[in-house]
Amino acid sequence: MINEELDNRLKYLRGLQTYDFTDYNDIIRLHLNESPFSPSERVIKRIVEVAREGNRYPNPERVEMFKVLAGRYCGVKSENVIPTPGGDGAIRLIVNNLLRRGEKAVVNFPSYSMYSVYSSVKELRLTKVNLIEENYTWRADTDALVNSVRDAKVTFIDDPNNPTGAKIFGGKEEEIREILETTNGLVVVDEAYHEFAGYSVTRLVDKYDNLIVIRTFSKAFGMAGFRVGYLVTNENITNALRKATTPFDVSAPSLEGAIEALLDPSYALENATIISKIRSNFTEKLRRAGFKVYDSVTNFILIKDARDLKSLLFSHGIAIRRVNDGLYRISIGTNEQIEKVEDVLLNSI
Ligand SMILES: Cc1ncc(COP(=O)(O)O)c(C=O)c1O
């Protein structure tokens, strides 16, 4: 017999909204902001090597190596870094260990959906602050945000923002300072798209006791399937969070692949440059044809359109994401893939 407390908890979880995991094969995948490029050859080679040692647990010394390289990549010390199973793993680590049921969480709206999902699972009180749409971009409603963060225990800010593709604070201290100094709660800046946008606030983690930055290998590094990322924060927080982690939380192939990727980040940075160029040309062509396309500093664009672009593109073998009524997000694929999208959008409607 299930006890009443457990039963209530199960009912609560069953009542939550399910994340939309719809996936498609044999189709051009532009719906998940993946990289169209596979991991670098040296990453693949290393992962194959490590697969042969799959009977062994990950080696803690390799975790240290990861932290040194990620720290160097971000301009911080290795002590500021904790590897996680993707950016999502970092969000879970924060929500599960640094927050308590009933506490207030603040997110921009729209923003990455997993902040709300994990906050709901933890039974946090969620407040959404609408981004302000302004011509071809979106910006944070700083006054509303400052007001809202005052009694928050955590504030999630994806910068650049998903799904708008907009810069929020753009890595500038003077822009984010008011938020960091108004709240006693944590401020989580999610830099999943950092390599495309080029800016960061990692240099501030030792200056503010409440700042945590999230990074991932899922986007520019083309390693979404390996589920590896990390968080960057002050040692006070990393030392505490280490009690809630083991060196085994990221699998050995993922950890070793990420180490190899960090030994030569130029592969990811060059791919980010290629993707950004494709995005700029794509945006320009669509705008010339009369589409409302927002400015983006990421590997995707957001389009406002009253027509059903998702079904239209799907009927041509292309998957994109419908974000909301009249808002469609298209990840940037290879040149050929984007030419197909252009062909449909410019010639079929
Ligand atoms: C803003 C943001 N953060 C985190 C993630 C999650 O990435 P990961 O694959 O590292 O869990 C995504 C993925 O789309 C994202 O858009």
Side-chain angles (χ1 to χ4, degrees), residues 11-279:
K11 269 195 198 126
Y12 173 77
L13 285 177
R14 282 196 298 261
L16 296 178
Q17 239 184 332
T18 311
Y19 179 76
D20 179 10
F21 286 109
T22 317
D23 202 0
Y24 315 98
N25 292 316
D26 306 324
I27 200 162
I28 298 179
R29 300 165 59 91
L30 304 179
H31 61 305
L32 289 174
N33 294 345
E34 295 162 339
S35 174
F37 305 118
S38 50
S40 67
E41 282 308 315
R42 64 183 285 179
V43 166
I44 295 170
K45 184 167 167 274
R46 180 71 188 129
I47 287 171
V48 171
E49 275 169 23
V50 182
R52 292 184 211 291
E53 296 156 26
N55 52 320
R56 303 288 182 207
Y57 282 105
N59 183 334
E61 279 173 24
R62 300 300 287 170
V63 175
E64 288 309 308
M65 179 71 174
F66 173 94
K67 284 162 48 187
V68 168
L69 292 172
R72 200 177 295 161
Y73 180 64
C74 295
V76 298
K77 300 186 297 292
S78 63
E79 290 82 1
N80 295 118
V81 177
I82 299 186
T84 56
D88 281 358
I91 303 168
R92 285 194 302 272
L93 189 62
I94 294 164
V95 170
N96 289 342
N97 297 291
L98 301 178
L99 296 157
R100 295 207 179 92
R101 176 183 175 183
E103 290 181 336
K104 179 175 174 182
V106 174
V107 293
N108 279 319
F109 184 80
S111 66
Y112 181 50
S113 53
M114 297 316 281
Y115 311 139
S116 308
V117 171
Y118 294 133
S119 296
S120 305
V121 168
K122 186 71 181 183
E123 299 179 59
L124 303 181
R125 284 182 295 121
L126 192 67
T127 297
K128 296 185 177 184
V129 179
N130 287 331
L131 291 180
I132 297 175
E133 184 185 347
E134 218 167 47
N135 296 322
Y136 285 91
T137 190
W138 301 71
R139 64 173 176 82
D141 183 342
T142 312
D143 291 345
L145 205 53
V146 166
N147 257 330
S148 201
V149 303
R150 232 174 272 284
D151 59 342
K153 291 290 181 244
V154 66
T155 302
F156 290 101
I157 296 166
D158 43 1
D159 190 3
N161 172 263
N162 174 9
T164 64
K167 254 186 204 176
I168 300 297
F169 297 117
K172 294 199 187 101
E173 183 171 358
E174 58 275 22
E175 302 279 324
I176 196 176
R177 183 189 293 145
E178 203 178 354
I179 306 289
L180 285 161
E181 291 179 359
T182 303
T183 181
N184 290 325
L186 296 166
V187 177
V188 178
V189 178
D190 183 344
E191 298 185 340
Y193 301 97
H194 158 73
E195 285 79 9
F196 303 96
Y199 60 79
S200 174
V201 291
T202 51
R203 70 186 183 284
L204 303 180
V205 293
D206 276 328
K207 197 162 171 187
Y208 294 93
D209 59 6
N210 55 346
L211 173 64
I212 303 180
V213 180
I214 294 177
R215 294 282 188 89
T216 180
F217 290 84
S218 293
K219 308 300 175 182
F221 286 93
M223 295 175 64
F226 288 102
R227 314 304 304 125
V228 54
Y230 51 101
L231 60 76
V232 181
T233 187
N234 63 69
E235 282 181 61
N236 219 6
I237 297 180
T238 55
N239 284 336
L241 279 180
R242 219 154 274 137
K243 306 288 177 179
T245 60
T246 74
F248 312 139
D249 292 354
V250 175
S251 76
S254 303
L255 189 75
E256 293 296 334
I259 287 173
E260 211 58 41
L262 286 170
L263 284 170
D264 181 19
S266 65
Y267 178 78
L269 298 173
E270 280 159 21
N271 279 344
T273 305
I274 293 169
I275 287 168
S276 301
K277 264 194 200 131
I278 299 173
R279 182 199 67 225

